[in-house]
Amino acid sequence: MENPFIFGEPAKGEKFIDRKRELERLRNYIINARNVIIYSPRRFGKTSLVLKVLEELRGEIISLFIDCYSVTSEKDLANRLTKKVLQHYKGKEIWHAVKKLFQNITPKITIETTPNVQIEISYEGVENWEEALDLPQKLALDKGKRVVVVFDEFQELVKFGNLLKLLRSKFQHHDRVSYIFIGSKRHLMEWIFKSKESPFYNFGAHITLKEIPKEEFKIYIWNAFKKGNIEIGEHVIDRILSLTKCHPYYTQRLCFELWYVGTLKKVVDEKDVERTLNELISDLEDSYLLIWESLTPNQRKALLAVAKGEEDLFSGEFLRKYDFKSPASVQSALRKLVKKEIVTKIGETYKVSDVFMEYWLKKRFLEE
């Protein structure tokens, strides 16, 4: 039997766990032509959630998915968007699309017809690429269907000068298009969509993903092991979720390894959980050491304090205990850790973003 646990890629079909409320909200927003902003720390299943809804609505909508992490310039974004639009035309339809959609721009298009249609596009003029941003609206009008454009890791586009201002000036006129903006850097996403200084201020409804509810995760884990004829007690599942803090990625990662332990023994106990977690952390130690070595002394002290669960990070007692000169020096260190995505800030609380790294830090530096 195939391992039912998955990590490092979007969860699909039966491997998608719960998120019933978020699924319903997102589905309703799309159906009612609303723009949506989805953010949470990395590996919380944002992309899986969006792909699940798009799959359910397939036939009713046309979807375009843009990975902003790999975008290298404004023109590159235009090229990718254009290619995604043209992929919704087949055979001779492509020539119809080129003629109808590109009325005021002259893209250079290369089409290979074997074995599958491959579309490559580049814009010759300096200003021509800007009109490509209107292609989703033109596609919707031409096909007679609502178009949904997904920008994954949207905050990465901030680095391209006035691009956000240009995107907003285009998108606000697209009445046949819904935009979904996914992001993992909360501080940037909140600035983009909640700051009055940002062009995208109040541009859509907000969905924040949190950990998967414990009871739903327990049911999924129980059923997954049961299908493989592997015995696992409720107390063992509780221990797994306690260690992973119900984080989707780290729970799936640990259970993925425990599945193979269970296929050999036909049972998984608490000792297996502890041993497997230690093996995972050992495997990841080199990558954690690289991160640790890249930090300044103040950043290291702040990270260890967060891992230890220190609460009042700016008190006089804390400054003396960790040898910080001032609250400002603590704030600066934490800000850099958040920017590097090593630490996550939720409200006024800080926590280590990587659950396994937190255990590594405790084991390596905090245990006596």
Side-chain angles (χ1 to χ4, degrees), residues 300-315:
R300 292 180 180 182
K301 290 187 291 186
L303 178 58
L304 290 178
V306 172
K308 192 174 181 179
E310 298 280 6
E311 295 183 354
D312 194 348
L313 302 177
F314 306 101
S315 67

Side-chain angles (χ1 to χ4, degrees), residues 298 302 305-306 309-338 343 345 347-350:
N298 274 358
V306 172
E310 298 280 6
E311 295 183 354
D312 194 348
L313 302 177
F314 306 101
S315 67
E317 181 182 351
F318 177 84
L319 298 180
R320 289 189 295 272
K321 182 178 179 180
Y322 286 88
D323 195 25
F324 279 100
K325 292 182 179 180
S326 66
S329 59
V330 180
Q331 184 66 56
S332 176
L334 290 170
R335 190 182 303 114
K336 292 291 179 58
L337 291 172
V338 170
V343 164
K345 183 183 181 184
E348 297 302 316
T349 303
Y350 294 88

Side-chain angles (χ1 to χ4, degrees), residues 60-311:
E60 300 178 44
I61 63 167
I62 297 172
S63 62
L64 311 175
F65 193 97
I66 306 293
D67 179 7
C68 297
Y69 251 136
S70 56
V71 172
T72 58
S73 66
E74 297 96 327
K75 190 180 290 186
D76 181 42
L77 175 65
N79 291 345
R80 291 167 184 267
L81 188 57
T82 304
K83 186 173 180 179
K84 294 286 185 178
V85 168
L86 289 178
Q87 284 175 346
H88 288 276
Y89 292 88
K90 306 298 181 184
K92 294 181 179 179
E93 282 186 330
I94 295 177
W95 304 112
H96 155 78
V98 171
K99 197 171 182 180
K100 190 166 186 177
L101 303 183
F102 299 89
Q103 294 176 345
N104 300 313
I105 53 181
T106 53
K108 177 184 177 182
I109 300 175
T110 303
I111 301 177
E112 300 177 6
T113 56
T114 57
N116 298 308
V117 176
Q118 300 292 327
I119 305 169
E120 296 296 334
I121 181 164
S122 60
Y123 289 91
E124 298 297 333
V126 175
E127 72 289 338
N128 284 348
W129 66 268
E130 295 183 5
E131 294 193 45
L133 302 178
D134 287 319
L135 288 177
Q137 174 76 358
K138 292 182 178 181
L139 175 64
L141 293 172
D142 187 44
K143 292 286 190 177
K145 286 185 177 182
R146 172 159 293 280
V147 169
V148 178
V149 182
V150 181
F151 289 103
D152 198 7
E153 300 297 351
F154 181 70
Q155 77 277 336
E156 297 303 309
L157 300 185
V158 170
K159 59 190 174 188
F160 299 120
N162 293 319
L163 180 57
L164 291 189
K165 186 176 181 180
L166 175 61
L167 292 177
R168 173 62 189 260
S169 70
K170 296 286 188 179
F171 293 172
Q172 64 186 351
H173 300 297
H174 296 173
D175 60 347
R176 299 292 301 160
V177 183
S178 294
Y179 289 94
I180 299 177
F181 307 94
I182 306 175
S184 59
K185 297 180 181 178
R186 189 185 183 109
H187 63 293
L188 277 177
M189 291 294 286
E190 289 188 340
W191 179 86
I192 293 171
F193 295 102
K194 291 186 176 181
S195 171
K196 291 183 179 180
E197 290 75 34
S198 170
F200 276 90
Y201 173 64
N202 275 351
F203 194 65
H206 292 251
I207 297 178
T208 304
L209 292 192
K210 299 180 180 179
E211 291 82 359
I212 292 176
K214 182 178 178 180
E215 291 307 312
E216 280 75 7
F217 230 150
K218 284 179 67 173
I219 294 171
Y220 177 83
I221 294 171
W222 176 272
N223 288 332
F225 279 102
K226 185 178 180 181
K227 288 180 181 178
N229 295 315
I230 300 170
E231 182 182 342
I232 185 168
E234 184 177 357
H235 66 289
V236 179
I237 298 177
D238 284 335
R239 182 56 178 161
I240 291 170
L241 295 175
S242 173
L243 290 169
T244 63
K245 303 178 182 179
C246 288
H247 189 297
Y249 174 86
Y250 299 102
T251 303
Q252 294 271 13
R253 183 75 179 89
L254 181 55
C255 287
F256 182 89
E257 300 298 336
L258 287 170
W259 169 265
Y260 290 114
V261 174
T263 57
L264 296 175
K265 296 175 53 184
K266 293 303 177 183
V267 64
V268 172
D269 57 33
E270 287 196 58
K271 289 183 179 179
D272 295 322
V273 174
E274 303 292 340
R275 183 170 54 253
T276 302
L277 176 61
N278 287 330
E279 289 172 354
L280 277 173
I281 293 172
S282 178
D283 290 342
L284 294 167
E285 183 168 33
D286 286 346
S287 62
Y288 293 152
L289 281 171
L290 286 174
I291 295 172
W292 178 258
E293 290 168 0
S294 71
L295 303 179
T296 66
N298 274 358
Q299 290 167 13
R300 292 180 180 182
K301 290 187 291 186
L303 178 58
L304 290 178
V306 172
K308 192 174 181 179
E310 298 280 6
E311 295 183 354

